[in-house]
């Protein structure tokens, strides 16, 4: 594997990547970044977790003129969650450039704030098709200055029926531009889209099947899915587990069964409001509960490196969805386990999966359960009713907990600060002490309302 400093990148960028822990390039980065820097249109077939965001991120950042506040790059993503992950990753990679503005334009929040931000200008726009099209219609967004366009998870966008909106958006960008298309799979629909919008593209592919060394894929035949799921959880004792179901109702049912058994579990699906979905994802990512039961749509864009077990409670209807699902584990070279339940009617789906993956079929009775005690999550989330608008920073909160309350920093986990609210992951061992302490002590000379989430 090549190091980032083996290609011609600015020293400051390489140093920042190194601070982020990115020393060597992932396969897609090694293959695609040089092509992008040579101004080619690129079709990249790469699985989730391959490092694709940094691939197009680096390509974009090196082309931005920060003195000019017109949108120069546009990234279209299928979901709000993915758009938000992409924005965060770009912000991390862009830390070496002063004054760069990356704007997230997705639904679920009012347009007013976005219109305001657009007036001030942004170099990079990351958005979902619906909201981008809304801004184009009301003329708050002008894409005539775009130099580079990225379609992220293009196959997902097509599955979600976004083709016309995407074409409408692309029609508003200049003809002369660089276009990059990223997709986990490359079926006929995606090929057709690519043909219409990319010019002499270079195709870059990384192996979309998962190596058995990184993701262990085990299959269990069962007619008692709930009991089998419980047994798998007792046997593997994952600290972070994502369970996939094919329907919203099923996610609720499975979460209820596991909750009754004492597991720390939540369900997420498209019927939840955006705010509820965000809070569930945030608490899962910060280690405040260990099991998330999700539909495919709700889990898209979830970018957590530490999911150690994926369970397919229902096998997906399409085999490519299986690839997406198990790609949530075994990220960035870590080992992951994917456990799939199936019944007698599923044998054709297994045959399909087997064509591209090395799978093992295992008798559930052969698994031993040595310990029925349920692993509790490490953290619990404290919510503070103050955020960026109160000029709170992660440092202020960490300082209030460590300096004023005398709690060791190692007990403080992720701190997520939003405009009006802040979420802080605190180790369960000290949660009560921190909760009482923050309730009774000001943070930056102000008392905030604070509560524990569960
Ligand atoms: P993505 O495919 O963009 O979702 O990236 C998957 C994960 O890999 C993200 O958490 C990135 O922060 C991480 N990542 C991306 N590039 C590298 C790299 N060269 N070395 C280590 N980690 C990386």
């Amino acid at each position: 594997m090549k190091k980032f400093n083996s290609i011609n990148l600015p020293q400051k960028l390489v140093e920042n990547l190194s601070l982020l822990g990115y020393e060597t390039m992932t396969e897609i980065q090694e293959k695609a970044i040089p092509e992008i820097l040579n101004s080619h249109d690129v079709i990249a077939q790469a699985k989730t977790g391959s490092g694709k965001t940094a691939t197009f991120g680096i390509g974009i950042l090196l082309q931005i003129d920060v003195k000019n506040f017109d949108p120069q790059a546009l990234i279209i993503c299928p979901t709000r969650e993915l758009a938000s992950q992409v924005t965060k990753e770009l912000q991390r990679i862009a830390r070496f450039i002063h004054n760069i503005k990356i704007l997230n334009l997705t639904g679920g929040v009012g347009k007013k704030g976005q219109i305001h931000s657009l007036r001030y200008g942004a170099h990079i726009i990351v958005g979902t098709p619906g909201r981008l099209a809304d801004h184009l219609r009301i003329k708050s967004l002008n894409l005539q200055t775009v130099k580079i366009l990225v379609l992220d998870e293009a196959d997902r966008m097509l599955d979600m029926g976004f083709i016309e909106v995407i074409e409408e958006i692309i029609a508003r960008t200049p003809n002369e531009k660089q276009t990059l298309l990223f997709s986990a799979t490359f079926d006929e629909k995606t090929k057709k889209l690519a043909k219409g919008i990319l010019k002499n593209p270079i195709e870059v592919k990384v192996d979309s099947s998962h190596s058995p060394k990184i993701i262990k894929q085990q299959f269990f035949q069962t007619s008692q899915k709930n009991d089998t799921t419980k047994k798998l959880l007792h046997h593997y004792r994952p600290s972070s587990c994502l369970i996939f179901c094919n329907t919203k109702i099923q996610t609720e049912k499975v979460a209820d069964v596991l909750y009754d058994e004492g597991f720390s579990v939540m369900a997420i699906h498209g019927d939840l409001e955006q705010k509820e979905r965000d809070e569930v994802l945030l608490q899962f990512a910060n280690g405040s509960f260990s099991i998330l039961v999700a539909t495919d749509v709700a889990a898209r864009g979830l970018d957590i490196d530490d999911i150690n077990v994926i369970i397919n409670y229902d096998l997906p209807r399409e085999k490519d969805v299986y690839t997406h699902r198990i790609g949530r584990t075994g990220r960035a070279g870590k080992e992951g386990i994917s456990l799939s339940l199936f019944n007698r009617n599923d044998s054709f789906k297994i045959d399909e999966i087997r064509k591209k993956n090395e799978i093992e079929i295992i008798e559930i009775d052969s698994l031993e359960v040595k310990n029925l005690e349920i692993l509790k999550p490490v953290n619990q989330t404290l919510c503070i009713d103050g955020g960026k608008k109160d000029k709170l920073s992660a440092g202020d909160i960490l300082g209030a907990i460590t300096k004023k309350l005398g709690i060791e920093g190692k007990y403080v986990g992720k701190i997520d600060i939003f405009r009006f609210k802040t979420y802080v992951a605190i180790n369960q061992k000290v949660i009560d002490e921190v909760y009482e302490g923050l309730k009774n002590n000001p943070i930056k000379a102000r008392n905030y309302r604070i509560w524990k989430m569960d």
Side-chain angles (χ1 to χ4, degrees), residues 54-212:
T55 306
F56 62 74
I58 290 171
I60 287 175
L61 291 174
L62 295 183
Q63 297 191 43
I64 298 291
D65 169 10
V66 268
K67 285 189 239 82
N68 173 356
F69 274 84
D70 293 327
Q72 296 164 50
L74 172 69
I75 301 156
I76 313 180
C77 300
T79 64
R80 296 165 190 173
E81 284 84 9
L82 182 67
S84 140
Q85 302 295 346
V86 167
T87 307
K88 282 189 202 147
E89 173 81 345
L90 288 182
Q91 278 162 344
R92 275 149 45 92
I93 306 171
R95 288 190 306 197
F96 73 104
I97 309 176
H98 291 298
N99 275 330
I100 190 150
K101 184 98 182 66
I102 304 167
L103 184 62
N104 196 279
L105 294 182
T106 60
V109 291
K111 282 195 207 89
K112 245 177 156 181
Q114 298 179 342
I115 295 172
H116 187 74
S117 305
L118 280 166
R119 259 190 224 133
Y120 277 93
H123 303 103
I124 303 174
I125 307 274
V126 186
T128 44
R131 182 54 62 99
L132 289 168
D134 283 352
H135 280 291
L136 287 170
R137 269 179 225 128
I138 58 172
K139 300 199 164 48
S140 40
L141 175 65
N142 178 349
L143 296 175
Q144 278 306 312
T145 47
V146 164
K147 294 189 281 194
I148 176 161
L149 166 74
V150 180
L151 298 175
D152 195 9
E153 296 202 358
D155 51 349
R156 301 280 105 201
M157 294 207 272
L158 294 178
D159 284 351
M160 289 166 85
F162 282 138
I163 178 77
E164 280 168 17
V165 195
I166 292 174
E167 283 172 350
E168 191 186 319
I169 298 169
I170 297 178
R172 306 285 282 271
T173 60
N175 262 342
E176 268 307 304
K177 62 177 178 295
Q178 185 179 20
T179 304
L180 313 175
L181 181 143
F182 284 76
S183 191
T185 55
F186 208 47
D187 56 14
E188 285 310 313
K189 268 195 291 184
T190 322
K191 277 185 201 155
K192 202 170 146 220
L193 172 77
K195 214 169 163 205
I197 59 171
L198 285 99
K199 294 186 191 123
N200 305 321
I202 307 278
E203 285 189 33
V204 180
K205 195 174 165 186
V206 297
D207 192 2
S208 72
S209 65
H210 297 269
S211 148

Side-chain angles (χ1 to χ4, degrees), residues 225-240:
K225 286 187 175 181
N226 290 341
D227 288 342
T228 304
T229 306
K230 287 188 230 168
K231 186 164 185 192
L232 291 172
L233 290 170
H234 283 305
H235 176 83
Y236 284 103
R237 299 169 64 74
S239 55
S240 181

Side-chain angles (χ1 to χ4, degrees), residues 4 21-22 24 26 29 49-53 89 92 303 305 331:
F4 279 103
Y22 304 2
T24 50
T26 63
Q29 289 164 353
S50 59
K52 65 188 166 68
T53 315
E89 173 81 345
R92 275 149 45 92
D303 179 24
D305 286 342
R331 286 205 176 183

